Amino acid sequence: MLSRSPVRPAIACAVLALASTSALCAAASTPPAVPPVAEIPIAPIPAPRKRLPPLPEATPRTTVTTTTTTTMVPPLAALTVEPLPHVGATEIMPAAPTVLSSPPHIVLVDELPFRASHTHARELPEHEHEHEHHSKKKGRHGRPFHPAPGIVVDINDATGGATAADLQRTGRNVGYWPFRHCYEEGLRRDQHMGGKVEMDLAVAPGGGVDRANITGATLHDESVVLCVAREAAHLALTPGESATSAKMELTLSTGDEPVPEPHPIPHAEDLRDALRASWPAVKQCYAGALAKHADDGGRLELRFHVKPNGEIAEVAEGDTRFGDVEVTRCVLGVYRGAKLPGVAHGSHDASFVYALHLEARPEQAAK
């Protein structure tokens, strides 16, 4: 019986090596302390000895962060898991609604409902041609006869980058028609109204008016006063090298002919009373817009189509365009559900225009 000597396996190994059977030699030799798989490369690029093994699913994240102090890349869980609860909480949180510090003082005026064909009565050309032969007559104010209202812009004082003369020149040019539209709406309510409006202007270097504060007024129509102040804040005046503070005096005087007024439809007073019943909701529409745009305001015309029994078949925006589309949509929604008295004759429907004018008094003036 042969003894187990370490010499015989060595001799057998040498013989097998000559026969190129190293695999059998490895099987016959004594197994080393390190497993053979660690000595045989199984990938093109050998893995570094200090590389961490893949993180098992059940391994807590804390064990990884405490043992991998030499790695240059933070653990994946630390990059993706931690921010998720915070991001999710902010995305589902609704935005807080805008809340006004105090209810705005809203000035709302209207006109008697009138027929749509007379919406632009003041622009009829025959009105001007009718009085051409009066050009040599003297007007009511000691000046040559002039049927249109008088609009005079004076800049009495200016401090800063622009001169008073330059501001006055551009102010009279770009401010005439905006101021006239405000004034003519007031004249349709009172054909004898006139007076002055004084304002302090803050003019930016580029010529835009940053602020127009009312300092005094002799007009008794608050809607007209607020209208001209809002229009003054939208003027583009002469640019200067720096900001300019200026004082503007606006003089409004009646012309030698009354401002043409549209003809009210039959039973206009009763119809206006019914339309005014929706004013609280109209003011709510306007107040909501003021929270976003404090300079909103102006004329809003609504065109109604009403059935003989007073049911509103259609209501849409008229020829004018209010500055804020959201206000227009809101007001149209209010009047689509309004109740009106019967306004049509016989079995025919009736159409008319109802004009509103919305202005807001600045907070400092309302105190």
Side-chain angles (χ1 to χ4, degrees), residues 321-348:
R321 293 292 179 266
F322 192 78
D324 195 308
V325 177
E326 293 182 3
V327 175
T328 302
R329 291 174 179 171
C330 184
V331 174
L332 290 175
V334 168
Y335 278 110
R336 286 191 181 104
K339 302 295 182 181
L340 301 179
V343 294
H345 297 284
S347 59
H348 299 287

Side-chain angles (χ1 to χ4, degrees), residues 158-178:
T159 303
T163 65
D166 289 339
L167 294 177
Q168 177 171 291
R169 182 177 62 255
T170 55
R172 289 183 174 182
N173 183 33
V174 301
Y176 174 80
W177 278 109

Side-chain angles (χ1 to χ4, degrees), residues 3-87:
S3 60
R4 295 178 61 87
S5 173
V7 177
R8 290 182 180 180
I11 296 174
C13 181
V15 175
L16 292 174
L18 294 175
S20 301
T21 56
S22 58
L24 295 176
C25 176
S29 59
T30 304
V34 181
V37 69
E39 297 180 357
I40 301 175
I42 58 175
I45 301 175
R49 293 180 181 274
K50 292 186 179 181
R51 181 169 182 172
L52 294 174
L55 184 63
E57 294 182 358
T59 303
R61 181 172 55 85
T62 55
T63 61
V64 177
T65 56
T66 57
T67 58
T68 57
T69 56
T70 59
T71 181
M72 299 298 294
V73 182
L76 182 61
L79 295 175
T80 58
V81 176
E82 295 295 339
L84 287 180
H86 176 71
V87 173

Side-chain angles (χ1 to χ4, degrees), residues 114-160:
F114 56 89
R115 300 194 183 281
S117 59
H118 296 279
T119 302
H120 297 288
R122 66 164 183 260
E123 298 178 4
L124 294 177
E126 57 266 24
H127 174 71
E128 300 293 340
H129 296 311
E130 181 181 351
H131 300 283
E132 285 182 355
H133 63 282
H134 295 301
S135 59
K136 296 182 180 180
K137 291 178 56 177
K138 284 189 177 182
R140 292 181 295 174
H141 304 285
R143 64 187 181 189
F145 184 88
H146 192 269
I151 313 294
V152 180
V153 176
D154 290 315
I155 305 293
N156 301 318
D157 187 19
T159 303

Side-chain angles (χ1 to χ4, degrees), residues 262-320:
H263 299 291
I265 65 172
H267 311 290
E269 292 284 356
D270 295 336
L271 183 57
R272 180 163 70 172
D273 290 341
L275 292 166
R276 284 182 172 181
S278 298
W279 274 19
V282 172
K283 290 183 177 181
Q284 287 264 339
C285 295
Y286 182 46
L290 291 175
K292 302 176 183 179
H293 309 288
D295 61 343
D296 272 347
R299 182 181 177 89
L300 174 59
E301 290 185 359
L302 305 177
R303 189 184 297 269
F304 285 82
H305 187 71
V306 183
K307 296 181 179 180
N309 61 356
E311 180 183 351
I312 298 176
E314 181 184 7
V315 57
E317 187 177 9
D319 294 334
T320 62

Side-chain angles (χ1 to χ4, degrees), residues 216-305:
T218 59
L219 258 70
H220 65 267
D221 193 319
E222 186 177 16
S223 178
V224 176
V225 174
L226 295 176
C227 181
V228 297
R230 177 177 50 79
E231 293 292 353
H234 293 164
L235 297 180
L237 302 178
T238 303
E241 297 180 357
S242 60
T244 305
S245 298
K247 294 184 179 298
M248 173 184 286
E249 182 180 84
L250 177 64
T251 304
L252 306 173
S253 57
T254 58
D256 294 318
E257 288 292 331
V259 173
E261 300 178 48
H263 299 291
I265 65 172
H267 311 290
E269 292 284 356
D270 295 336
L271 183 57
R272 180 163 70 172
D273 290 341
L275 292 166
R276 284 182 172 181
S278 298
W279 274 19
V282 172
K283 290 183 177 181
Q284 287 264 339
C285 295
Y286 182 46
L290 291 175
K292 302 176 183 179
H293 309 288
D295 61 343
D296 272 347
R299 182 181 177 89
L300 174 59
E301 290 185 359
L302 305 177
R303 189 184 297 269
F304 285 82
H305 187 71

